[in-house]
Amino acid sequence: MKVPNMMPDPESGGVEDTNEKRVQPRFALLLRSAKLVSSRGEFLCIVRDVSESGAKLRLFHPVVEGEDLSLEIATGERFTVEKVWEREGEAGIRFVDPINVMRFVAEAGPFPKRPVRIRLDHPVTLAHGGNTIVAMLCDLSRQGAKLETQNRLAIGQTLRIEGDQLPETEATVCWRRHPNYGLVFRQLMSMEDFALRVHRMQTQDR
């Protein structure tokens, strides 16, 4: 929804034209999944509204401070940002370079839109046929995961995956490029559960 002639939120990252006292148009209630990426890791957030100069985010935990902060949307496009403010599960960010708002809202980018995946390096165990093997979790989404293991798995194979911050979950192997394999979970994680789990994986592993 385009909202012209809206007074600026002093903490939203929006920029006011001091000559004509006009505010950049903001697109409100986008509710788009994205992730904040920095030297500390990748963390899930929701983009609530956006303008050429900034955006308001919904958070599931405090922003993890780190160098080279950027916002990555579902198509893989990244924007360098700075945190302006943070309070009560929300944050305002400023884009270092003005963005094309229409392109952002349309979720145009270098890759097709897909569920947000968090890149990780987190040990897990796989159980199948009475055997337990060790694997490394490479990325995680609400629907599934990519992992690396020296053991060979078969497409269509059902197993159970478990980690320090990942409860035992039933999954099916959906692709393989040994030593990497893709899993799809039988049960979808909630957005909040997913966000908090990947946050703990990255902050407790360091």
Side-chain angles (χ1 to χ4, degrees), residues 15 20 22 34 107 113 119 131 136 194:
V15 176
E20 298 186 18
R22 293 184 300 184
E107 294 185 306
K113 179 183 174 182
R119 297 179 185 88
N131 298 318
M136 188 64 69
F194 174 48

Side-chain angles (χ1 to χ4, degrees), residues 9-197:
D9 180 340
E11 296 180 311
S12 69
V15 176
E16 182 181 5
D17 183 332
T18 55
N19 293 323
E20 298 186 18
K21 301 297 182 182
R22 293 184 300 184
V23 181
Q24 295 172 355
R26 300 183 68 82
F27 287 75
L29 301 177
L30 294 179
L31 301 181
R32 301 283 173 80
S33 299
K35 57 186 179 181
L36 285 171
V37 182
S38 75
S39 58
R40 297 290 303 279
E42 301 184 348
F43 304 94
L44 185 70
C45 63
I46 304 294
V47 181
R48 300 201 62 174
D49 67 43
V50 65
S51 73
E52 182 182 273
S53 62
K56 181 185 288 185
L57 308 178
R58 177 193 169 193
L59 306 174
F60 297 92
H61 51 75
V63 173
V64 178
E65 302 291 351
E67 298 177 358
D68 303 319
L69 186 64
S70 62
L71 180 73
E72 182 177 319
I73 59 177
T75 59
E77 190 165 14
R78 284 190 182 185
F79 308 89
T80 304
V81 300
E82 298 172 343
K83 188 183 79 170
V84 179
W85 59 270
E86 180 179 353
R87 65 168 183 267
E88 298 178 353
E90 292 187 329
I93 57 172
R94 176 179 295 117
F95 297 114
V96 172
D97 298 308
I99 68 165
N100 182 321
V101 178
M102 297 304 296
R103 178 182 172 85
F104 187 101
V105 172
E107 294 185 306
F111 307 107
K113 179 183 174 182
R114 67 176 188 172
V116 171
R117 297 171 179 268
I118 303 296
R119 297 179 185 88
L120 299 164
D121 187 17
H122 188 73
V124 293
T125 57
L126 307 175
H128 66 96
N131 298 318
T132 301
I133 61 177
V134 176
M136 188 64 69
L137 191 62
C138 302
D139 72 34
L140 183 68
S141 72
R142 296 174 62 203
Q143 296 91 343
K146 173 185 174 183
L147 55 82
E148 179 179 334
T149 178
Q150 295 306 312
N151 295 74
R152 293 189 177 273
L153 306 176
I155 293 177
Q157 181 176 349
T158 298
L159 46 78
R160 301 190 75 83
I161 179 173
E162 184 176 13
D164 184 38
Q165 296 299 331
L166 186 67
E168 188 174 283
T169 302
E170 189 169 331
T172 301
V173 179
C174 58
W175 62 262
R176 63 180 178 185
R177 288 189 288 275
H178 186 76
N180 297 122
Y181 295 86
L183 305 182
V184 59
F185 299 144
R186 291 290 180 90
Q187 185 171 351
L188 182 72
M189 276 190 283
S190 72
M191 190 78 72
E192 182 174 10
D193 189 32
F194 174 48
L196 292 175
R197 289 188 186 283

